[in-house]
Amino acid sequence: MKKRLFALALAGVLAAVTLTGCGSLKGDETVATVDDTKIDADLANFFARYTQATYETYYSAYLGEDMWNSDASDGETYEESVKSSVLKSLEDMILLEKHMEDYDVSITDEDKAMIKETTQQFLNDNSLDDKNLVSGNEKTVNRALTLMAVQQKMRTAIQAGADTEVSDEEAAQKSMDYVFISYQTKDDSGNSKDVSDDEKAQLKSQAEAIASGLKEGGDLNTLAEEQGATVQTLTFDKDTTSPEEDLIKAADALGEGESTDVIETEKGCYVAKVTSLLDRTATDSKKSQIVQERRTKLYDDTLKKWRKKADIKVHKDVWKKVSFQKVSVKMKTETQTPYADQVQTDDQAQTK
């Protein structure tokens, strides 16, 4: 499993292309420091290029050719946003590495062997030119994989301290059966459109017939079938918002076996019957979700605490040299021989 995780972290063959003249990036330049630990340009560039490759391979069709100049959020372009996220992740990895002893975490000989193997696979799979553009030298790839292993192990160790006890009361999920009679239909072109007011009145009367039948002890499935409606099942709690907040609010106030009146919305009418105040399967699933949320929060809060105490400095003039607009990087989606005749491997380059 560990080997698979390492392999997935650096899966794929890269194709890097210089688009315009770019400023010279020296691998040993300092992009940032975390206390006394330096993040050099090679390491930052490597992480940035791999993230860039993911975006350009899988999202460029949606974001367009000028994706890196596109607005992301908070007044940032996608390039600024992604680079900021990459650098923060690197800083967090360094902080995790600094606290390994606190959690009795170490990189074992087995880990080191896997890192070495994956590093060599990356070096073999990618051409010399591509590796140079992404700072994919042996030292940098090995360091990147080591930090990723540290992050994985530290996340597990930190999250192990989360409280895993969750009561039924805290996680309780109710269940209901409900019908929805829509005020919308399809036109000849397949587009949705509202029905007429007269049709709405007729549809509402159908919902009222179901609601009335339920109050009299009728079976929802039978009542729904008579009105051409379909019964759906939903597990919920007071924080559920879909399919309709008014439906959830009404059902949440009922006891087991009780049913709602007609709940009319702009889109149609709902009628529901509460079938359980504690759905065992849904409640146990909610418990797992709560535990995972606690683990995630503990991990995030721990890093925030460390970041607050750390002396983190960014050398913006160096980081600026890593430009997604001057170098394009994608994952090669088809199996190709990484070293064409005109491309030198590391060994070929060293023998000249």
Side-chain angles (χ1 to χ4, degrees):
M1 177 59 72
K2 289 181 181 178
K3 182 176 179 180
R4 175 171 172 77
L5 289 173
F6 282 134
L8 287 174
L10 287 179
V13 180
L14 296 180
V17 179
T18 303
L19 301 178
T20 66
C22 53
S24 58
L25 180 71
K26 297 180 180 178
D28 60 354
E29 289 184 282
T30 301
V31 167
T33 55
V34 180
D35 294 326
D36 58 350
T37 301
K38 166 185 168 182
I39 298 175
D40 65 32
D42 268 350
L43 184 63
N45 186 50
F46 183 76
F47 269 101
R49 297 306 179 189
Y50 240 93
T51 306
Q52 177 187 2
T54 301
Y55 272 81
E56 293 195 6
T57 302
Y58 300 108
Y59 304 126
S60 60
Y62 305 100
L63 297 175
E65 293 183 3
D66 196 28
M67 61 181 291
W68 298 120
N69 279 322
S70 301
D71 291 333
S73 60
D74 299 326
E76 284 188 322
T77 65
Y78 267 97
E79 179 177 24
E80 292 168 339
S81 177
V82 170
K83 285 182 61 180
S84 176
S85 177
V86 166
L87 192 53
K88 181 180 180 297
S89 295
L90 267 173
E91 293 162 356
D92 287 347
M93 289 180 187
I94 299 298
L95 288 169
L96 290 166
E97 186 177 49
K98 287 177 175 291
H99 288 271
M100 288 171 66
E101 289 187 7
D102 298 346
Y103 292 85
D104 196 26
V105 168
S106 64
I107 297 299
T108 65
D109 288 342
E110 181 184 5
D111 295 329
K112 292 175 183 178
M114 292 178 184
I115 290 169
K116 183 177 180 180
E117 180 182 344
T118 306
T119 298
Q120 192 58 54
Q121 186 66 51
F122 173 84
L123 297 176
N124 292 342
D125 285 347
N126 290 278
S127 72
L128 180 60
D129 288 344
D130 288 339
K131 285 182 288 190
N132 286 340
L133 284 172
V134 303
S135 299
N137 56 72
E138 182 175 1
K139 176 183 175 183
T140 299
V141 177
N142 188 283
R143 175 63 173 152
L145 284 170
T146 299
L147 286 175
M148 292 163 72
V150 168
Q151 181 185 48
Q152 183 185 75
K153 288 191 159 194
M154 283 292 286
R155 180 185 287 110
T156 299
I158 293 170
Q159 291 185 342
D163 181 9
T164 59
E165 293 297 321
V166 183
S167 68
D168 278 350
E169 182 180 4
E170 182 180 359
Q173 297 294 294
K174 302 177 182 181
S175 63
M176 71 165 92
D177 289 339
Y178 73 94
V179 296
F180 174 61
I181 298 179
S182 178
Y183 283 166
Q184 292 187 320
T185 186
K186 300 285 187 180
D187 61 20
D188 294 338
S189 300
N191 300 315
S192 296
K193 69 172 186 176
D194 291 338
V195 299
S196 68
D197 289 343
D198 288 343
E199 288 173 310
K200 285 182 180 180
Q202 175 60 37
L203 292 169
K204 184 176 180 180
S205 69
Q206 292 177 229
E208 289 172 339
I210 295 174
S212 176
L214 281 174
K215 300 292 185 184
E216 296 172 0
D219 176 70
L220 180 57
N221 287 290
T222 301
L223 293 166
E225 185 177 356
E226 291 173 352
Q227 301 299 331
T230 302
V231 177
Q232 301 181 66
T233 298
L234 176 72
T235 56
F236 68 100
D237 58 25
K238 62 181 177 61
D239 297 321
T240 304
T241 58
S242 180
E244 173 61 47
E245 290 187 21
D246 287 343
L247 169 67
I248 302 302
K249 184 178 180 180
D252 193 45
L254 300 177
E256 185 172 324
E258 295 181 335
S259 59
T260 68
D261 295 325
V262 174
I263 300 165
E264 187 176 18
T265 70
E266 290 184 358
K267 295 183 178 180
C269 296
Y270 291 91
V271 180
K273 178 179 180 179
V274 175
T275 54
S276 174
L277 296 181
L278 184 69
D279 184 286
R280 184 76 266 163
T281 301
T283 298
D284 287 345
S285 178
K286 183 67 174 182
K287 285 184 177 183
S288 298
Q289 178 187 330
I290 290 172
V291 170
Q292 187 54 51
E293 288 171 352
R294 289 176 182 174
R295 288 171 174 161
T296 299
K297 186 176 186 302
L298 178 60
Y299 177 76
D300 291 343
D301 287 349
T302 300
L303 274 171
K304 287 177 182 177
K305 179 180 68 177
W306 292 345
R307 288 185 69 87
K308 190 173 182 180
K309 293 181 179 180
D311 180 19
I312 300 174
K313 296 178 181 177
V314 178
H315 296 239
K316 295 181 180 179
D317 56 329
V318 179
W319 190 219
K320 184 170 62 177
K321 295 179 182 179
V322 177
S323 170
F324 293 169
Q325 299 179 59
K326 293 181 178 179
V327 174
S328 175
V329 188
K330 291 186 178 181
M331 299 286 186
K332 291 182 181 177
T333 55
E334 296 181 359
T335 303
Q336 301 179 23
T337 303
Y339 300 115
D341 293 339
Q342 69 272 23
V343 179
Q344 297 177 331
T345 65
D346 293 330
D347 292 340
Q348 290 169 339
Q350 290 171 1
T351 58
K352 290 193 174 184

